[in-house]
Amino acid sequence: MEKGPFSLYDFMGYFFPGALALYLIVLGQNDIFSYFSQDFFKDTTKNFLELPIHMLLFYVIISYCIGHFLSFFSTLTIEKYTRLVYEDPSKILLSDTPFQPKNDVRSLKLNRWRFVLFILIWPLIVYDWILVRFLKFNHSYLKKIEAPYRDLVKSRINEVFRDIGHKEDVVEDKANNYHRLLIHYNYEFTKYHGHKLMNYVSLYGFLRVLTLVSCLFFNYIFISYLWTHHLQLDWIGVKNLIYFALCLVAVTSMTFVFYLGYLKFYRRYTLENLMLILIVDKDYK
């Protein structure tokens, strides 16, 4: 499969999230709540900012670089949290029993560095635990492959591993990340599905970074409001507090929607790889 100098993932995984983060950084230079005030919309003197071409190119490069950093950082936070709480989607898809997310915090094996990272995405963690553990929200990430495909996929995976000299059952071995080999196997021996797989990678990578950006944005407005506003017990203070709480709920809900999108396409990408293993020989011939 031929690749150009820039792929879809370069734009959706790096440039767009980096540009959004850069925009929010510029937006945060002023009081962010002033952009939602009536005075802002009544101001008729605002004009579009005209940028010279070299400055526009500079912002494109900066956005791309910021996107690379955010993409890497999202794997340390969003993806790591997903694997600790929900495990890899390949394990869930081929599980014989209904999967339940980990409820015990002690079972997550948090070290100091991981704890610091998870502090940055605490709005997502709290929202996820409330909806999934307490309200029993069952999203598609927890669904298994239906029979008889589950048994057929398991058998085919073990055949692939036997061909390279591994005789044991890799699917039942919880410590074996067999999906890592399947990614390379399908990429090598399929002709017509590479672009579809890359589209899934671009989509779940894009939504994973957006989830992180949304969490960081939540932290910013939360800390900024507590730093610049004082609690007032009069009607104006209570009204501002209610408005602030609604803003936080809206941002957190948006964060969780991004996260559900990430889980959806992460699962679809894994499901596509697992189903391809059944037809990979026919597709190759």
Side-chain angles (χ1 to χ4, degrees):
M1 184 174 62
E2 298 181 356
K3 290 190 64 177
F6 293 100
S7 64
L8 179 64
Y9 192 87
D10 286 302
F11 290 97
M12 298 193 66
Y14 301 137
F15 174 70
F16 290 150
L20 175 62
L22 185 60
Y23 174 74
L24 293 176
I25 291 173
V26 175
L27 193 69
Q29 296 302 312
N30 300 317
D31 185 4
I32 200 168
F33 296 99
S34 64
Y35 290 91
F36 303 97
S37 64
Q38 295 181 358
D39 295 335
F40 177 79
F41 292 101
K42 291 179 180 180
D43 184 8
T44 59
T45 63
K46 300 187 296 293
N47 297 315
F48 289 104
L49 183 62
E50 297 181 0
L51 290 176
I53 187 64
H54 66 277
M55 288 300 298
L56 183 61
L57 181 61
F58 170 77
Y59 282 117
V60 169
I61 296 174
I62 291 297
S63 298
Y64 189 70
C65 294
I66 293 176
H68 271 277
F69 170 78
L70 292 174
S71 179
F72 170 72
F73 205 65
S74 67
T75 61
L76 299 179
T77 53
I78 306 300
E79 184 174 328
K80 180 63 69 174
Y81 169 75
T82 302
R83 291 188 175 184
L84 284 174
V85 175
Y86 296 106
E87 296 188 355
D88 291 327
S90 59
K91 305 291 185 182
I92 299 176
L93 286 167
L94 297 181
S95 176
D96 294 324
T97 58
F99 178 80
Q100 294 295 331
K102 295 183 178 67
N103 291 314
D104 189 359
V105 178
R106 293 171 296 180
S107 65
L108 299 184
K109 299 179 181 179
L110 297 177
N111 54 36
R112 294 180 180 178
W113 172 240
R114 193 174 292 167
F115 178 77
V116 172
L117 291 177
F118 284 179
I119 287 295
L120 300 177
I121 62 171
W122 70 271
L124 170 65
I125 296 176
V126 172
Y127 208 93
D128 182 48
W129 281 59
I130 291 175
L131 288 183
V132 177
R133 277 92 179 158
F134 297 103
L135 300 182
K136 304 300 180 181
F137 176 73
N138 186 21
H139 47 72
S140 60
Y141 189 80
L142 304 178
K143 295 181 180 178
K144 306 181 297 181
I145 297 180
E146 300 83 1
Y149 302 108
R150 185 168 63 252
D151 294 332
L152 291 173
V153 170
K154 287 182 178 181
S155 175
R156 183 70 182 108
I157 291 175
N158 285 320
E159 288 180 13
V160 171
F161 273 82
R162 280 194 293 269
D163 290 340
I164 62 175
H166 189 88
K167 305 302 181 182
E168 299 178 0
D169 190 335
V170 296
V171 179
E172 299 301 326
D173 184 6
K174 300 300 182 180
N176 193 311
N177 188 5
Y178 50 83
H179 186 243
R180 184 178 301 172
L181 174 66
L182 299 186
I183 293 174
H184 297 281
Y185 188 86
N186 291 331
Y187 186 83
E188 179 67 23
F189 294 109
T190 55
K191 298 179 180 178
Y192 311 111
H193 300 275
H195 291 289
K196 185 176 182 180
L197 290 173
M198 290 306 299
N199 288 339
Y200 283 142
V201 172
S202 300
L203 287 169
Y204 85 67
F206 174 67
L207 291 164
R208 184 189 65 207
V209 182
L210 284 189
T211 304
L212 175 62
V213 172
S214 186
C215 284
L216 296 178
F217 181 62
F218 177 96
N219 290 329
Y220 172 79
I221 61 176
F222 182 75
I223 296 174
S224 177
Y225 185 87
L226 295 181
W227 187 266
T228 58
H229 293 73
H230 301 284
L231 181 61
Q232 298 177 354
L233 299 180
D234 55 3
W235 169 243
I236 297 178
V238 173
K239 185 175 66 174
N240 291 335
L241 185 61
I242 294 175
Y243 168 73
F244 173 67
L246 291 177
C247 288
L248 291 183
V249 172
V251 174
T252 313
S253 300
M254 181 178 62
T255 303
F256 191 68
V257 170
F258 287 149
Y259 183 64
L260 289 181
Y262 159 65
L263 294 180
K264 172 185 175 181
F265 289 107
Y266 191 23
R267 179 185 182 276
R268 283 192 178 183
Y269 169 69
T270 306
L271 178 61
E272 188 75 12
N273 271 308
L274 294 179
M275 298 302 292
L276 276 178
I277 202 68
L278 298 178
I279 61 172
V280 64
D281 289 338
K282 298 178 182 179
D283 189 50
Y284 182 61
K285 295 176 181 178

